[in-house]
């Protein structure tokens, strides 16, 4: 797992769009090392996120400098730390570094993710172990 200085991102590797984005996003080397954590696998960070009552099915998580960022705040934080190398990083930086734009677009992206996973027949992560919450 990551060290305290790393930037950790918790995301759903079974979501093709999430996986595509998270495998291509990169942070500036001065910001630290980006560690990708599969939300479907047990980890200390997943346990920490669950302990905070954050539903990973509703948003990605970024941990940076001991702070937990969720959903639009997570994608905004990643954009601020972006390396800006490559097309995906430049677009993410210019779109999601603007907080109001991240707040507006993220729920739409999360809804599209949930619809895609429903169409693909994938189960929810259900890290909060809610009743009747296994399927989209």
């Amino acid at each position: 797992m990551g060290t305290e200085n790393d930037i950790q991102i918790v995301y759903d590797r079974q979501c093709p769009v999430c996986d595509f984005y998270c495998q291509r996003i990169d942070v500036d080397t001065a910001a630290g090392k980006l560690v990708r954590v599969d939300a479907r696998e047990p980890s200390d960070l997943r346990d920490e996120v669950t302990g905070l009552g954050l539903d990973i099915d509703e948003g990605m998580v970024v941990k940076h400098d001991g702070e937990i960022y969720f959903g639009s705040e997570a994608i905004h934080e990643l954009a601020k730390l972006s390396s800006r190398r490559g097309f995906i990083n430049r677009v993410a930086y210019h779109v999601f570094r603007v907080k109001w734009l991240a707040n507006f677009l993220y729920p739409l992206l999360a809804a599209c993710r949930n619809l895609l996973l429903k169409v693909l027949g994938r189960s929810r992560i259900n890290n909060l172990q809610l009743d009747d919450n296994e399927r989209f």
Side-chain angles (χ1 to χ4, degrees):
M1 193 54 58
T3 67
E4 195 61 32
N5 295 329
D6 291 337
I7 299 146
Q8 299 176 341
I9 180 172
V10 181
Y11 72 101
D12 186 358
R13 283 197 63 199
Q14 285 190 19
C15 171
V17 176
C18 302
D19 192 47
F20 177 86
Y21 174 77
C22 289
Q23 292 303 321
R24 281 154 188 80
I25 198 73
D26 198 14
V27 296
D28 191 292
T29 53
K33 177 184 167 198
L34 185 61
V35 176
R36 295 161 180 89
V37 178
D38 183 355
R40 293 184 183 267
E41 297 295 323
S43 70
D44 291 340
L45 183 52
R46 179 185 152 141
D47 291 345
E48 183 178 357
V49 168
T50 300
L52 293 171
L54 300 175
D55 186 347
I56 299 171
D57 284 310
E58 298 304 319
M60 68 174 5
V61 176
V62 170
K63 184 173 184 179
H64 177 231
D65 286 340
E67 295 290 323
I68 300 282
Y69 301 90
F70 178 71
S72 63
E73 290 181 358
I75 207 161
H76 176 69
E77 186 68 12
L78 275 178
K80 293 188 315 184
L81 301 168
S82 173
S83 69
R84 293 175 228 138
R85 287 187 300 273
F87 179 74
I88 299 292
N89 285 292
R90 281 194 303 275
V91 169
Y93 172 75
H94 288 292
V95 171
F96 296 119
R97 74 182 167 104
V98 179
K99 191 164 186 125
W100 72 264
L101 198 50
N103 289 340
F104 175 75
L105 290 175
Y106 192 83
L108 298 172
L109 296 171
C112 290
R113 170 212 178 252
N114 291 346
L115 180 61
L116 175 62
L117 292 181
K118 181 179 180 117
V119 168
L120 293 174
R122 305 276 163 77
S123 65
R124 288 182 173 271
I125 297 166
N126 198 18
N127 63 302
L128 299 178
Q129 298 181 345
L130 303 172
D131 291 338
D132 299 320
N133 193 36
E134 296 301 317
R135 306 306 285 167
F136 284 97

